[in-house]
Amino acid sequence: MPATSTLAKKETGESTLPEATRGGIFFTPRVDIYETSDEVVLLCDMPGASATDIDVTFERGELSLYGKVAPRPAATLCEEYAVGDFYRTFSIASAIDSDRISAECQDGVLCVHLPKQEQAKPKRITVAAS
Amino acid sequence: MSLLMRRQPADELQQQMTRFRREMDQLFGRWTLGQESWPGLAVSYPTLNLREDEDFIYAEAELPGQKLADLEITVTGDNRLTIQGERKEPTEVQGEWHRRERGLGRFERTLDLPVSMDTSKVEASLENGILCIKLAKSPQAKPRKIPVKAG
């Protein structure tokens, strides 16, 4: 089978290139999202990525999170998880003020703040006794 | 089938399995084979990667958001490693949850290591959510070079 021989060739190539996983393999990071009256907050697990390794971009209503994870020594005794980059995108409602989106990262958890536009914030209407 | 029938060294087969698993990971997400099938359904947490060199065994786990001080890492007997901790509910949240995939709660993982350890020499570090525990092998567990004399 020609497919088998191609695979075998790739494998031999991979054994000399420890960073072959960089070829477009991404893991989907897990997120928690909550909404307050002022903003929507997104918490994202990106273990192994520091603040400088994370790209948060907002373009045409789409927020993308990309965490580059440096390769670590191969797990030779037991491998329960694989190491790779993280990537996930979200479509963002127009009620978000995209100019004020901010992000921070601590201990491998990325936190993205998506502030709401003024007109999207809930307003309390005082009820006057008549 | 010809792939499996071929005679090949074990490490090459292992590489192919790793590659296959990575492709599956890409298709279905990260927790597909033998582990969690769906986010939030914890089977064993944290998952561990182990490697060794001549003198040490390195255990590595992904614990995003954890502080080293909140983890309890113990070695009992001479080879049983236990990691305990808790992923706490964020306190500052005042609002409505849209998604909860990250999971929380207490966790404990116990593992019997393949060789005996020098329990006085255990180092742990936690950086960017990656826990790395470095365990020194006991002297009798280290590989010894046996000189071969010509008879």
Side-chain angles (χ1 to χ4, degrees):
Chain A
M1 277 200 296
T4 313
S5 57
T6 333
L7 183 64
K9 254 183 217 160
K10 272 187 190 166
E11 281 306 323
T12 357
E14 210 171 58
S15 60
T16 54
L17 291 169
E19 288 192 30
T21 52
R22 290 258 170 267
I25 301 228
F26 301 107
F27 296 118
T28 307
R30 299 190 201 187
V31 297
D32 283 353
I33 301 174
Y34 65 90
E35 181 178 346
T36 66
S37 52
D38 296 328
E39 60 176 0
V40 174
V41 179
L42 191 149
L43 297 163
C44 176
D45 279 346
M46 287 195 176
S50 65
T52 48
D53 302 326
I54 295 175
D55 272 334
V56 179
T57 50
F58 182 82
E59 196 182 4
R60 288 192 292 271
E62 203 169 76
L63 178 80
S64 44
L65 314 172
Y66 172 62
K68 191 167 157 44
V69 175
R72 302 195 284 272
T76 47
L77 283 180
C78 154
E79 192 186 33
E80 291 184 344
Y81 61 87
V83 175
D85 297 348
F86 294 105
Y87 181 68
R88 194 160 176 181
T89 57
F90 295 92
S91 59
I92 301 297
S94 56
I96 296 297
D97 186 351
S98 56
D99 294 335
R100 291 194 296 129
I101 295 176
S102 64
E104 76 240 6
C105 179
Q106 201 184 10
D107 302 324
V109 180
L110 172 71
C111 178
V112 185
H113 296 272
L114 305 156
K116 290 181 189 173
Q117 283 177 1
E118 278 306 317
Q119 62 262 37
K121 288 182 188 174
K123 289 178 188 71
R124 179 168 286 273
I125 292 122
T126 46
V127 181
S130 60
Chain B
M1 283 310 286
S2 56
L3 188 71
L4 290 174
M5 299 293 281
R6 270 175 57 204
R7 278 174 178 272
Q8 51 192 340
D11 60 331
E12 197 186 329
L13 184 66
Q14 198 186 354
Q15 274 179 9
Q16 289 189 0
M17 287 307 291
T18 309
R19 188 188 162 84
F20 172 73
R21 201 178 72 192
R22 282 188 181 131
E23 284 175 1
M24 287 295 127
D25 282 342
Q26 194 179 19
L27 276 174
F28 299 113
R30 215 173 169 198
W31 300 271
T32 47
L33 291 181
Q35 292 161 40
E36 291 169 69
S37 53
W38 200 253
L41 180 72
V43 174
S44 49
Y45 183 88
T47 46
L48 288 165
N49 275 359
L50 298 179
R51 64 190 163 90
E52 66 173 341
D53 58 22
E54 244 173 58
D55 302 318
F56 300 97
I57 283 193
Y58 305 87
E60 187 198 86
E62 291 182 329
L63 288 165
Q66 289 282 328
K67 301 275 183 213
L68 195 56
D70 298 333
L71 288 173
E72 199 175 309
I73 299 159
T74 45
V75 181
T76 42
D78 58 357
N79 70 336
R80 179 163 291 182
L81 172 72
T82 306
I83 304 166
Q84 288 178 76
E86 184 174 8
R87 197 157 194 199
K88 294 191 179 88
E89 174 110 20
T91 46
E92 73 274 18
V93 176
Q94 290 170 330
E96 177 201 350
W97 285 103
H98 289 240
R99 282 178 195 231
R100 301 214 73 174
E101 298 171 357
R102 292 165 69 233
L104 47 88
R106 279 201 65 78
F107 57 84
E108 180 178 337
R109 186 86 203 265
T110 305
L111 188 77
D112 283 339
L113 296 161
V115 294
S116 60
M117 297 290 134
D118 184 348
T119 48
S120 60
K121 289 180 198 160
V122 180
E123 292 168 33
S125 67
L126 184 60
E127 198 182 344
N128 294 328
I130 306 286
L131 172 72
C132 190
I133 308 170
K134 187 178 169 188
L135 304 120
K137 291 181 188 177
S138 66
Q140 60 265 36
K142 286 181 192 172
R144 272 173 304 162
K145 197 164 178 69
I146 293 133
V148 180
K149 287 177 199 156

